[in-house]
Amino acid sequence: MRDMKVLVIGSGGREHALVWKLKQSPRVSAVFCAPGNGGIAVDATCVPIKISEHDALIAFAKREGIGLTVVGPDDALAAGIVDRFEAEGLRIFGVNQSAARLESSKVFAKEFMLRHGIPTAASGQFSDPEKARAFAAAMKTPIVVKASGLALGKGVIIAETHAAADVAIREIMEERKFGDAGAEVVIEEFLDGEECSIHALVDGGSYLLFPSAQDHKRALDGDRGLNTGGMGTFSPADKVLPPALEQRVRTEVLDRFVAGLKADGLDFRGMLFPGLMVTADGPKVLEFNCRFGDPETQVLLTRLESDLLDLLDATIDRRLAGVAPKWSSEAAVCVIMASGGYPGAYSGGKEITGLADAKATVFHAGTKRDGGKFFSAGGRVLGVTALAPTLAEARARAYSAVDGIAFEGAQFRRDIGAKGL
Ligand SMILES: Nc1ncnc2c1ncn2[C@@H]1O[C@H](COP(=O)(O)OP(=O)(O)O)[C@@H](O)[C@H]1O
Ligand SMILES: [Mg+2]
């Protein structure tokens, strides 16, 4: 029966993909998004409530009779939005505040991994800068210095020299460049290898592994330039994570993760998205994210043939063990079109043309709509996403759509998915 109203919280490309997919559910009657963006407003009713306004979100969900709220961003989870909704008797998808510490505290995550034998980089953790410096001084370079808390994906510094590690420790811990996120740091060995994104729904006792995906974090072709929120993704990423390695991810990461939850009494129901480095010694966890990836969600949901609502329901109700969704055997590619200058300073308000003719699914990450026209309104603006029988064809389709879309200063990579070929 089509009688369920859903509310998606967030305003980026990931949330647009969640809205787009949930709207296709035969059980969903209406999709709302708070606060959403210009493109999301085409697929959902956007409500102007900020992610941090929990009371207003709860009041809206009650007034509108929302049957399920789905949380996109990490900061909402870390702020305890799930605990608040549940205390009000409202159904919500996402991890509770206690489980969200696996993302919001890299120290907490590291201790969890060590306690439960999950492979990760050798490291030390410090709240005293003197001790952090002494530890780094005894390490081989490059040295990885991480602010423990949430730092908008900017709190990790790869120091090529001991002097650079000292600077990073000073800036993070003493100058508090990332605020309180830098009260503690993790200092770890540099791992060589290829990165890969894993997604698994976890219901506290079981998990459901999604296909693999690979992100492109650097701004420029050939993995050069500054780190960004992600310039594009493709799925599957079976060249970096072939079946034998995926099996190791199951036994060494996910099985141990779920056993660790039970041992520690953590009620983790939601999406687990570990960032992996696939090294010569096998997969190692760089970090745990406790929500859908952005822009991984754009390619994963494009490949998902089953109803996403069923999967979210099974997670909340601890029924994942019996669930086997259908995935397209085709490949998906998402190319991010960003504002010129991103991830540095950029200006918005540029008119976007060519959207209506695009032969791809265009997820909006940062746009505004004004009188039927769309304008850029963020660093990442669009995620142009195509599905095709092979990765090469999916790339060709995505780039052909990108070439038909324009806005002043548009910046994107030409090599998304190339390393998967
Ligand atoms: N131990 C490591 N060795 C090599 N590169 C690393 C290591 N840890 C992190 N990185 C790099 O830094 C990026 C960000 O680190 P991550 O732990 O994912 O933190 P966040 O996403 O919160 O910034 C990773 O995607 C990876 O490219
Ligand atoms: Mg990361």
Side-chain angles (χ1 to χ4, degrees), residues 119-136:
T120 185
S123 66
Q125 56 206 37
F126 304 93
S127 49
D128 175 351
E130 263 333 302
K131 290 187 177 142
R133 271 190 282 270
F135 183 81

Side-chain angles (χ1 to χ4, degrees), residues 106 121 144 146 152-156 158 188-192 195 217 227 275 277 286-287 289:
K106 289 193 193 291
V144 183
K146 301 185 171 187
L152 299 169
K154 291 180 179 149
V156 172
I158 315 254
E188 67 183 28
E189 65 172 326
F190 181 83
L191 297 174
D192 231 329
E195 283 183 65
K217 283 280 174 206
N227 257 323
M277 187 70 85
L286 295 177
E287 63 161 348
N289 302 292

Side-chain angles (χ1 to χ4, degrees), residues 9 49-60 75-82 84-85 88 90:
I9 293 178
I49 306 174
K50 291 201 200 95
I51 294 161
S52 55
E53 293 172 340
H54 296 186
D55 289 333
L57 290 166
I58 286 167
F60 173 80
D75 43 356
L77 299 167
I81 193 168
V82 169
R84 286 289 322 279
F85 266 64
E88 298 285 339
L90 293 166

Side-chain angles (χ1 to χ4, degrees), residues 1-8 19 21-32 61 64-70 90-93 307-314 316-317 319:
M1 216 192 356
R2 189 180 280 278
D3 59 358
M4 163 89 85
K5 291 181 178 181
V6 299
L7 167 66
V8 173
V19 160
K21 187 66 189 170
L22 287 166
K23 194 183 160 188
Q24 295 169 35
S25 166
R27 290 162 53 211
V28 167
S29 61
V31 183
F32 297 85
E64 198 59 56
I66 298 293
L68 177 67
T69 298
V70 181
L90 293 166
R91 196 169 165 83
I92 185 163
F93 175 86
D307 186 353
L308 176 62
L309 184 59
D310 289 344
L311 303 186
L312 304 183
D313 271 341
I316 296 170
D317 298 334
R319 289 186 284 103

Side-chain angles (χ1 to χ4, degrees), residues 119-185:
T120 185
S123 66
Q125 56 206 37
F126 304 93
S127 49
D128 175 351
E130 263 333 302
K131 290 187 177 142
R133 271 190 282 270
F135 183 81
M139 283 175 81
K140 275 200 316 203
T141 57
I143 298 163
V144 183
V145 183
K146 301 185 171 187
S148 179
L150 295 178
L152 299 169
K154 291 180 179 149
V156 172
I157 287 155
I158 315 254
E160 299 292 339
T161 63
H162 287 102
D166 283 351
V167 171
I169 291 166
R170 189 183 72 228
E171 288 182 346
I172 294 175
M173 302 190 82
E174 291 170 337
E175 293 166 12
R176 294 294 169 94
K177 195 173 172 183
F178 307 111
D180 287 344
E184 291 181 289
V185 293

Side-chain angles (χ1 to χ4, degrees), residues 16 115 191 209 235 251 267 272 354 416:
H16 194 182
R115 205 160 45 240
L191 297 174
L209 180 59
S235 172
T251 55
D267 182 15
L272 176 69
I416 301 302

